[in-house]
Amino acid sequence: MRSLSNLFISFLLAFLSFGANAAPVSEWMEQQYSASKAKLFKNISPEGSRPGTVVASPSRRDPDYYYHWIRDAALVMMTVERLAAFESKKKEVYLKNLYQFIELTRFQQSQQTLTGLGEVKFYVDGTPFLGPWGRPQNDGPALRALALTRFAHYLIAENQLDYVKKYLYDNKLPSEAIIKKDLEYVSHNWKNHDFDLWEECQGHHFFTRMAQHRSLVEGADLARKLGDSGAADWYQMQANLISNEIQWHWNKNAGIFVATLNRVGGIDYKHGMDSSVIIAALVASTGENTAVNIKDDRLLSSVKRMEEKFAEIYNINRQTSALSPAIGRYPEDRYDGYNTGKSGNPWFINTLAFASYYYKLAADLRTTATLKINPRNVGFFRSILRRVSQQDLPESGIVPSTSPQFGKIIEGLIKAGDGFVERVKYHASQDGNLSEQMNRETGHMQGAENLTWSHAAFIDTYLDRKEAIGQ
Ligand code: NOJ
Ligand code: NOJ
């Protein structure tokens, strides 16, 4: 009798703490997953465009995002690849998009531009936009090489070696194949200054360098597999040099990786904190030979510092502290989705990146036998553990996977990720639109609607959560 009433009370409490809308976040995620897929594919090859085109958003004015950005498109294609692996029944549809993207890339790479393959955005007919813009942006070809390299490995496994050698990677110089062209560009241009992923700041960037490093590491692997061993050595050597440069971005006093070093142009009002560091980690911090690994103490520290900062600067975060903080690009941001010179807002892709980061940590931990606690990461893991348990952790030592804390830490990491998803849910619209930003005062969405990248980021987060819970 007693335990029954206890059960009743705990149900009641659970109900009250979630409010009337008590559905767990995973339920909403299923619904948003379908919506995001539908909306994402609407933005690929829209009517009247050259097939393979990924518009950044259907919005053609205020703001005009009806262009194919190399960066956005490459990230979206990496998501499409994950979908193809996850939903094998619909694989053919996904593959068709990838083949069209390859065709489009062949065309775009053959165009005359102002900054070679570092050119930023293209009209939907495949020709480059040559008006004034922050160019080059050298993360673009690196991300594209990465997307295509991953696809090439898949195709080789599917006995499509001839296709790969003809269109994706040949052993020629100058090359006629798109991955090799991008890798040559990356390996010969990474030392140059360029504009960052936010298209504002000119210098050397953590995000860009992480993308460049990763593309060369995975590219070297592909080159070796295809018998291009001289190129493989060269790519690997350049990757090592980039990795050395990346380490300089760590600022010990601030406890963060700073976004830009050696600034030579563009905006001058940033102080260094920028959540693109976490987006970089999602793209480039897992697998072999990472420059900065996903569970690196310096990333753990960066995440914490940024959470604290964004929690304090936006009104919507102060109003609803029950939810994890909505995350912006960087604290001093002045772009409001329409104009620069205003007040910046939290963004969906950045907030989702924090969710994904925690899920990826959980997934990583799941596959490793032990967790090493040291004085630098103990604070982080204690706060994770406190979310779900009364247990404590020693200052340093090894937490083996068989210990009771180990499972709890994984549970706590998933819960931390869920907090950011709850935040996104709170600001998303009923019909599943995810714009670029949410207003820092009112919480309403603003900026480009149905941003393709927002939907891709949501799908990635959804898949990352599946991996974290072991499904
Ligand atoms: C300024 C923004 O800060 C930048 O990120 C954006 O790409 C351009 N304006 C174009 O909209
Ligand atoms: C502005 C963002 O700052 C940039 O990263 C993105 O490529 C474009 N919008 C298009 O979505």
Coordinates of all heavy atoms in Angstrom, one line a residue, residues 62-93:
D62 N 15.2 39.4 -47.5 CA 15.2 39.7 -46.0 C 15.2 38.5 -45.1 O 14.2 38.3 -44.4 CB 13.9 40.6 -45.8 CG 14.1 41.3 -44.5 OD1 15.2 41.5 -44.0 OD2 13.1 41.7 -43.9
P63 N 16.2 37.7 -45.1 CA 17.4 37.8 -45.9 C 17.3 36.9 -47.1 O 16.5 36.0 -47.2 CB 18.4 37.2 -44.9 CG 17.7 36.1 -44.2 CD 16.3 36.6 -44.1
D64 N 18.2 37.2 -48.1 CA 18.3 36.4 -49.3 C 19.3 35.3 -49.1 O 20.5 35.5 -49.1 CB 18.7 37.3 -50.5 CG 18.7 36.5 -51.8 OD1 18.4 35.3 -51.7 OD2 19.1 37.0 -52.8
Y65 N 18.8 34.1 -48.8 CA 19.7 33.0 -48.6 C 19.5 31.9 -49.7 O 19.8 30.8 -49.5 CB 19.3 32.3 -47.2 CG 20.1 32.9 -46.0 CD1 20.4 34.2 -45.9 CD2 20.5 32.0 -45.0 CE1 21.0 34.7 -44.8 CE2 21.2 32.5 -43.9 CZ 21.4 33.9 -43.8 OH 22.1 34.3 -42.7
Y66 N 19.0 32.4 -50.8 CA 18.7 31.5 -51.9 C 19.9 31.2 -52.8 O 20.0 31.6 -53.9 CB 17.5 32.0 -52.7 CG 16.7 30.9 -53.4 CD1 16.0 30.0 -52.7 CD2 16.8 30.7 -54.8 CE1 15.3 28.9 -53.4 CE2 16.1 29.7 -55.5 CZ 15.4 28.8 -54.7 OH 14.7 27.8 -55.4
Y67 N 21.0 30.7 -52.1 CA 22.2 30.4 -52.8 C 22.7 29.0 -52.3 O 22.3 28.6 -51.2 CB 23.3 31.4 -52.4 CG 23.1 32.8 -52.9 CD1 22.4 33.7 -52.1 CD2 23.6 33.2 -54.1 CE1 22.2 35.0 -52.5 CE2 23.4 34.5 -54.6 CZ 22.7 35.4 -53.8 OH 22.5 36.7 -54.2
H68 N 23.6 28.5 -53.0 CA 24.3 27.3 -52.6 C 25.7 27.7 -51.9 O 26.6 28.1 -52.7 CB 24.5 26.4 -53.8 CG 25.4 25.1 -53.6 ND1 24.8 23.9 -53.6 CD2 26.7 24.9 -53.3 CE1 25.8 23.0 -53.4 NE2 26.9 23.6 -53.2
W69 N 25.7 27.6 -50.6 CA 27.0 27.9 -49.9 C 27.8 26.5 -49.9 O 27.2 25.5 -49.5 CB 26.8 28.3 -48.5 CG 26.8 29.8 -48.2 CD1 27.8 30.5 -47.8 CD2 25.6 30.7 -48.2 NE1 27.4 31.8 -47.6 CE2 26.1 31.9 -47.8 CE3 24.3 30.5 -48.6 CZ2 25.3 33.0 -47.7 CZ3 23.4 31.6 -48.5 CH2 23.9 32.9 -48.1
I70 N 29.1 26.6 -50.2 CA 29.9 25.4 -50.2 C 29.9 24.7 -48.8 O 29.7 23.5 -48.7 CB 31.3 25.7 -50.7 CG1 31.3 26.3 -52.1 CG2 32.2 24.4 -50.6 CD1 30.7 25.4 -53.2
R71 N 30.0 25.5 -47.8 CA 30.1 25.0 -46.4 C 28.8 24.3 -46.0 O 28.7 23.2 -45.6 CB 30.4 26.1 -45.4 CG 30.1 25.8 -44.0 CD 30.4 27.0 -43.0 NE 29.9 28.3 -43.6 CZ 30.7 29.1 -44.3 NH1 31.9 28.9 -44.4 NH2 30.2 30.2 -44.8
D72 N 27.7 25.1 -46.2 CA 26.4 24.6 -45.7 C 26.1 23.2 -46.5 O 25.7 22.2 -45.9 CB 25.2 25.5 -46.0 CG 25.3 26.9 -45.3 OD1 26.4 27.4 -45.2 OD2 24.3 27.4 -44.8
A73 N 26.3 23.3 -47.8 CA 26.0 22.1 -48.6 C 26.8 20.9 -48.2 O 26.3 19.8 -48.2 CB 26.2 22.5 -50.1
A74 N 28.1 21.1 -48.0 CA 29.0 20.0 -47.6 C 28.5 19.4 -46.3 O 28.4 18.1 -46.1 CB 30.4 20.4 -47.5
L75 N 28.1 20.2 -45.3 CA 27.7 19.7 -44.0 C 26.3 18.9 -44.2 O 26.1 17.9 -43.6 CB 27.5 20.8 -43.0 CG 28.8 21.5 -42.6 CD1 28.5 22.8 -41.8 CD2 29.6 20.5 -41.6
V76 N 25.5 19.5 -45.1 CA 24.2 18.8 -45.3 C 24.4 17.5 -46.0 O 23.8 16.5 -45.6 CB 23.3 19.7 -46.2 CG1 22.1 19.0 -46.8 CG2 22.8 21.0 -45.4
M77 N 25.4 17.4 -46.9 CA 25.7 16.1 -47.6 C 26.2 15.1 -46.6 O 25.9 13.9 -46.7 CB 26.6 16.3 -48.7 CG 25.9 16.9 -49.9 SD 24.6 15.9 -50.6 CE 23.4 17.2 -51.1
M78 N 27.0 15.5 -45.6 CA 27.4 14.6 -44.6 C 26.2 14.0 -43.8 O 26.2 12.8 -43.4 CB 28.4 15.2 -43.6 CG 29.8 15.4 -44.3 SD 31.1 15.8 -43.2 CE 31.5 17.4 -43.7
T79 N 25.2 14.9 -43.6 CA 24.0 14.4 -42.9 C 23.3 13.4 -43.8 O 22.8 12.4 -43.3 CB 23.1 15.6 -42.6 OG1 23.8 16.5 -41.8 CG2 21.9 15.1 -41.8
V80 N 23.2 13.7 -45.1 CA 22.5 12.8 -46.0 C 23.2 11.4 -46.0 O 22.6 10.4 -46.1 CB 22.5 13.4 -47.5 CG1 21.9 12.4 -48.5 CG2 21.6 14.7 -47.5
E81 N 24.5 11.4 -45.9 CA 25.3 10.1 -45.9 C 24.9 9.4 -44.6 O 24.7 8.1 -44.7 CB 26.8 10.4 -45.9 CG 27.3 10.8 -47.3 CD 28.6 11.5 -47.3 OE1 29.3 11.5 -46.2 OE2 29.0 12.0 -48.3
R82 N 24.8 10.1 -43.5 CA 24.4 9.4 -42.3 C 23.0 8.8 -42.4 O 22.7 7.7 -42.0 CB 24.4 10.3 -41.1 CG 25.8 10.7 -40.7 CD 25.8 11.6 -39.5 NE 25.6 10.8 -38.3 CZ 25.5 11.4 -37.1 NH1 25.6 12.7 -36.9 NH2 25.3 10.6 -36.0
L83 N 22.1 9.6 -43.1 CA 20.7 9.1 -43.3 C 20.7 7.8 -44.1 O 20.0 6.8 -43.9 CB 19.9 10.1 -44.0 CG 19.3 11.3 -43.1 CD1 18.7 12.4 -43.9 CD2 18.4 10.7 -42.0
A84 N 21.6 7.8 -45.2 CA 21.6 6.6 -46.1 C 22.0 5.4 -45.3 O 21.6 4.3 -45.5 CB 22.6 6.9 -47.2
A85 N 23.0 5.6 -44.3 CA 23.4 4.4 -43.5 C 22.3 4.0 -42.5 O 22.2 2.8 -42.2 CB 24.7 4.8 -42.8
F86 N 21.6 5.0 -42.0 CA 20.7 4.7 -40.9 C 19.4 4.2 -41.4 O 18.8 3.3 -40.8 CB 20.4 6.0 -40.1 CG 19.5 5.9 -38.9 CD1 19.9 5.1 -37.8 CD2 18.3 6.4 -38.9 CE1 19.1 5.0 -36.7 CE2 17.4 6.3 -37.8 CZ 17.9 5.6 -36.7
E87 N 18.9 4.7 -42.6 CA 17.6 4.2 -43.1 C 17.9 3.5 -44.4 O 17.6 4.0 -45.5 CB 16.7 5.4 -43.4 CG 16.2 6.1 -42.2 CD 15.3 7.2 -42.5 OE1 15.0 7.5 -43.7 OE2 14.8 7.9 -41.5
S88 N 18.3 2.3 -44.3 CA 18.8 1.6 -45.5 C 17.6 1.4 -46.5 O 17.8 1.3 -47.7 CB 19.4 0.3 -45.2 OG 18.6 -0.4 -44.3
K89 N 16.4 1.4 -46.0 CA 15.3 1.2 -46.9 C 15.1 2.3 -47.9 O 14.7 2.1 -49.1 CB 14.0 1.0 -46.2 CG 13.7 -0.4 -45.8 CD 12.3 -0.6 -45.3 CE 12.3 -1.1 -43.9 NZ 11.5 -0.4 -42.9
K90 N 15.4 3.5 -47.5 CA 15.3 4.7 -48.4 C 16.6 5.1 -49.0 O 16.8 6.2 -49.6 CB 14.8 5.9 -47.6 CG 13.3 5.7 -47.1 CD 12.7 7.0 -46.8 CE 11.7 6.9 -45.7 NZ 11.9 7.9 -44.6
K91 N 17.6 4.2 -48.9 CA 18.9 4.5 -49.4 C 19.0 5.0 -50.8 O 19.7 6.0 -51.0 CB 19.8 3.2 -49.3 CG 21.3 3.5 -49.3 CD 22.0 2.3 -48.8 CE 22.1 1.3 -49.9 NZ 22.8 0.0 -49.5
E92 N 18.2 4.5 -51.7 CA 18.3 4.9 -53.1 C 18.0 6.4 -53.3 O 18.7 7.1 -54.1 CB 17.3 4.1 -54.0 CG 17.7 2.6 -54.1 CD 19.2 2.4 -54.5 OE1 19.7 3.1 -55.4 OE2 19.8 1.5 -53.8
V93 N 17.1 6.9 -52.5 CA 16.7 8.3 -52.6 C 17.9 9.2 -52.2 O 18.3 10.2 -52.8 CB 15.5 8.6 -51.8 CG1 15.1 10.1 -51.9 CG2 14.3 7.7 -52.1

